[in-house]
Amino acid sequence: MEKGYEVRRLSACEQMIMKLIWDADGDIPVQELIVRMRECYGKDYARTTMVTFLKKMSDKGYVSTYRVGRISFAHAERDAKEYIRQILKEEIDFWFEGRPSDLISVLYSGQKLPVEERENIRKLLDEMAV
């Protein structure tokens, strides 16, 4: 996504579909998306329903579809990390007045953060300071 691009929110089902597309090793056949939705999320969608979701997601700029013979494929048009970054930024701005530290505090309140994770966070913060 380009800088300054306003993210068009995905519905909960669209997010699940998009995650499967992003997690796939390259473009994914629509039939495989249907199977993975059932296996991963317990959603048993008919092909027509999946195609409707993909059309809506295409209209939002997230996916494109194409056919090779009789097989339809879905292709991600947006980057997963950029989508997640933008969505989380919006949530942090809304819930935590733009303070990421407050998000981390809520996520781990009452829990101990494992040493390895604390070290990873410190390393990331050090890299951001440069």
Side-chain angles (χ1 to χ4, degrees), residues 1-13:
M1 289 181 211
E2 302 121 290
K3 298 256 187 235
Y5 174 82
E6 188 173 329
V7 173
R8 293 187 67 192
R9 287 283 182 139
L10 296 171
S11 71
C13 287

Side-chain angles (χ1 to χ4, degrees), residues 25-59:
D25 200 19
D27 297 350
I28 184 169
V30 171
Q31 190 59 42
E32 187 174 335
L33 268 177
I34 294 167
V35 170
R36 288 191 184 180
M37 281 294 285
R38 185 173 43 251
E39 292 173 353
C40 297
Y41 303 115
K43 303 288 185 185
D44 195 11
Y45 293 137
R47 187 177 200 295
T48 53
T49 303
M50 182 62 72
V51 169
T52 299
F53 274 121
L54 290 170
K55 170 71 171 111
K56 288 179 182 180
M57 294 163 66
S58 176
D59 292 346

Side-chain angles (χ1 to χ4, degrees), residues 1-2 5-19 22 57 60-62 76-91:
M1 289 181 211
E2 302 121 290
Y5 174 82
E6 188 173 329
V7 173
R8 293 187 67 192
R9 287 283 182 139
L10 296 171
S11 71
C13 287
E14 290 170 340
Q15 280 187 340
M16 287 183 257
I17 294 167
M18 205 63 230
K19 179 153 180 15
W22 280 323
M57 294 163 66
K60 293 178 182 180
Y62 285 94
E77 294 292 341
R78 300 280 185 205
D79 179 69
K81 286 185 180 180
E82 182 59 27
Y83 174 75
I84 294 165
R85 186 196 64 75
Q86 184 64 38
I87 295 301
L88 288 177
K89 182 185 180 321
E90 289 174 10
E91 295 298 326

Side-chain angles (χ1 to χ4, degrees), residues 56-111:
K56 288 179 182 180
M57 294 163 66
S58 176
D59 292 346
K60 293 178 182 180
Y62 285 94
V63 299
S64 59
T65 58
Y66 63 93
R67 292 179 72 91
V68 175
R70 300 183 76 203
I71 301 173
S72 295
F73 290 85
H75 170 79
E77 294 292 341
R78 300 280 185 205
D79 179 69
K81 286 185 180 180
E82 182 59 27
Y83 174 75
I84 294 165
R85 186 196 64 75
Q86 184 64 38
I87 295 301
L88 288 177
K89 182 185 180 321
E90 289 174 10
E91 295 298 326
I92 290 168
D93 288 348
F94 180 79
W95 291 106
F96 305 106
E97 298 174 0
R99 292 186 303 269
S101 58
D102 289 352
L103 169 68
I104 293 170
S105 175
V106 167
L107 285 174
Y108 292 100
S109 62
Q111 300 178 44

